[in-house]
Amino acid sequence: MRAWGEPAERIEAAALIVTELVTNAVQHTSTRRIRCRLLRSADGVRVCVWNRGRARIPAPASPGDSAGLPVAGVPATGGQADDDLLDGLAEDGRGLLLVDALAARWGTRAALAGRLVWADV
């Protein structure tokens, strides 16, 4: 991405997104084959991670959860610090919450050949 002239902030965001999407692919597939591609466009970069598995991608924690609203089994925070709030969230979905925050948009597609998760940075 540096060779493409992308700004450092976009490179850092893409690196975090790749880490999270590949981690999800490793955790939610039974195959050893995972592909990662970066596609350049006029608007930025699209990160694509594909695997042969078709397991359900965990949903990111809802925006309400990160805003301090009650999470199932966790008491309301009443002004609790953000770090303390994250401790109460389920571990599944935290990575996608990060992807959601860093990417302009992201999505997933399932097909017979596997699953593709993409994010535009």
Side-chain angles (χ1 to χ4, degrees), residues 23-102:
T23 297
N24 273 352
V26 168
Q27 289 177 341
H28 298 284
T29 187
S30 59
T31 184
R32 297 193 312 185
R33 187 173 189 178
I34 296 170
R35 292 183 187 165
C36 180
R37 291 183 72 184
L38 300 179
L39 305 173
R40 197 173 158 199
S41 72
D43 297 328
V45 174
R46 176 167 282 191
V47 174
C48 300
V49 175
W50 176 87
N51 66 70
R52 284 210 179 272
R54 293 187 346 158
R56 182 186 71 78
I57 299 294
S62 71
D65 294 344
S66 63
L69 297 176
V71 177
V74 178
T77 60
Q80 188 175 7
D82 287 342
D83 288 343
D84 294 337
L85 176 62
L86 284 177
D87 289 339
L89 291 174
E91 292 214 12
D92 280 348
R94 284 188 187 187
L96 291 179
L97 185 62
L98 180 63
V99 170
D100 193 51
L102 293 173

Side-chain angles (χ1 to χ4, degrees), residues 11-29:
I11 294 169
E12 290 173 17
L16 283 171
I17 289 170
V18 165
T19 300
E20 295 303 331
L21 295 183
V22 168
T23 297
N24 273 352
V26 168
Q27 289 177 341
H28 298 284
T29 187

